[in-house]
Amino acid sequence: MPLPMFLRSLLVATVSSRKWLLVPSIHILNFFAKPERTWLFNLDKNPVLKAIIKKSFYDQFCAGTTPAETRKCVKALKDLGFRGVILTYAQEMVFDHKSGNGYSPGSAAEEAAEEAAGIKIDNIIESWRAGTVGTIDLIEEGDILAIKTSGAGPAVVNAFNKGDLPPQQMLDALNEIGTKCKERNIQIIVDAESQHYQRGIDRVSLEMMRKFNTDGRVVVYNTYQAYLKGTQALLASHLAEAEKDGFTLGLKLVRGAYIASEDRALIHDTKQDTDDNYNGIAQGALRQQLGEYGVSRPFPSLKLFLASHNRDSVISAQRLHKQRIAAGLPTVPVSFAQLHGMSDEVSFTLLAEKGNDGQPPAVFKCSTWGSMGECIGYLMRRAVENRDAVLRTNDEYVALRREAGRRMRSMFGAA
């Protein structure tokens, strides 16, 4: 790991592993995430504030504020040995269940619509479309585009909240994005977001999978959150759709990242319940046995993507996949991902797990790009995630301190 990246990781791990440093940091990020801040507290306008946040938290977890910065970061991640990157354009709407309000961090376009050739154009949808299409140009064949559909603004999220499809302008944008990605052999992950919007997001994802996931090929993955009590039922309904319509289900599995703003009643009561749900779905998919599918009903075509910082979850999944291939047992293709700036030890451990062909598994790093203001909601979720994963962050801190000691001994020994 290059020295600047290592030192930044050590700084962030130090903060993340100490509650008395992390909790105030979360409150500070939450303050900056609120819209309509004055110049003094605007991350995109105050150069001193921007420099402080950018050189610490932003550069640790995000790819860049410009296309040039982002391309450089993408190349650096690939040079570390990862199969590719998952890149997201940061524009989004954040819904706070406690306040009942949704807001868009950063400087999103004005909501006002314009008339063009007699057609009403929603400026926020167009801004999101342009940013997302631009993101495709920052990655290459074999990489993955992740999309946050809430970033397309109020007209879209209001439809999602009702479980409806979004306006036609948004559907046209999604079709354009899907077509471009399929042509360039770039996959798409539709990110999970607040449950306030998720019914509509799931509906859009299904429609995209029906259209693009044909002939056993996956272009689109939907994201399923294992910390939700309803995920098993949701997945069963999507498996039924895949069986009925003959498309391949793209299953990206995460634990979940919206616990700070979500309705707590929707989430499993304990972390162990979430872990059991995650591992049950992951290993069930690898065995081609999920609920009645693979038991009393044929198992539909499915490709699995495991995004997790839990070492036991991903290593056990990789080894199960390898064992089933070696034994000639049915399984599904699987890839893995960890977030940029987090759990590098897990990522590199996975890369060291060779498959039956002697090649490492497909491991990706997931990053986000956009202005400081646009990325602040994402940064806040990373801080909350570190708060809720005390053991993991402490282990990372200990490992980084050990590596710092090794580097110092090597430096003085060489001298």
Side-chain angles (χ1 to χ4, degrees), residues 150-380:
S150 72
V156 171
V157 297
N158 288 341
F160 284 165
N161 184 37
K162 299 173 186 175
D164 294 338
L165 291 174
Q168 187 61 46
Q169 182 185 346
M170 180 64 170
L171 293 175
D172 291 343
L174 291 169
N175 184 63
E176 176 189 359
I177 291 162
T179 301
K180 285 180 180 291
C181 286
K182 188 167 187 175
E183 289 172 351
R184 292 188 52 190
N185 196 27
I186 290 172
Q187 293 179 312
I188 299 169
I189 289 173
V190 181
D191 277 345
E193 302 190 53
S194 166
Q195 289 304 289
H196 193 70
Y197 312 136
Q198 194 60 42
R199 278 193 307 153
I201 294 172
D202 286 332
R203 187 173 174 187
V204 161
S205 297
L206 272 178
E207 293 304 316
M208 292 184 73
M209 286 192 283
R210 279 194 184 94
K211 179 166 186 176
F212 293 107
N213 291 6
T214 56
D215 302 321
R217 180 182 176 188
V218 165
V219 176
V220 179
Y221 287 89
N222 190 38
T223 302
Y224 301 85
Q225 301 179 93
Y227 73 172
L228 294 172
K229 296 175 181 177
T231 295
Q232 293 269 6
L234 174 68
L235 182 55
S237 70
H238 287 192
L239 286 166
E241 293 294 317
E243 179 190 35
K244 175 172 67 76
D245 294 335
F247 63 86
T248 298
L249 186 72
L251 193 173
K252 179 201 172 191
L253 187 63
V254 301
R255 277 174 167 77
Y258 291 84
I259 194 168
S261 58
E262 204 68 273
D263 181 353
R264 190 62 180 82
L266 300 174
I267 297 171
H268 283 296
D269 297 332
T270 67
K271 181 181 181 300
Q272 188 61 53
D273 290 341
T274 294
D275 290 342
D276 291 344
N277 198 34
Y278 188 98
N279 294 331
I281 293 172
Q283 299 203 10
L286 290 168
R287 291 189 173 95
Q288 292 196 356
Q289 292 181 349
L290 285 170
E292 60 185 331
Y293 292 97
V295 181
S296 59
R297 297 174 68 171
F299 195 85
S301 177
L302 182 148
K303 292 192 177 179
L304 180 64
F305 206 110
L306 296 178
S308 176
H309 300 140
N310 186 298
R311 186 182 185 279
D312 292 340
S313 290
V314 295
I315 295 299
S316 61
Q318 165 60 16
R319 291 178 179 173
L320 175 61
H321 185 249
K322 180 179 178 180
Q323 290 165 6
R324 292 187 71 81
I325 290 176
L329 296 172
T331 189
V332 299
V334 60
S335 300
F336 302 89
Q338 288 77 45
L339 290 168
H340 173 197
M342 294 177 67
S343 298
D344 289 334
E345 184 268 339
V346 174
S347 301
F348 290 121
T349 300
L350 265 174
L351 287 173
E353 290 276 324
K354 305 299 183 185
N356 295 307
D357 58 358
Q359 297 299 310
V363 182
F364 292 76
K365 273 293 182 180
C366 179
S367 194
T368 292
W369 84 284
S371 71
M372 296 283 290
E374 288 170 334
C375 289
I376 195 67
Y378 175 82
L379 290 173
M380 193 172 71

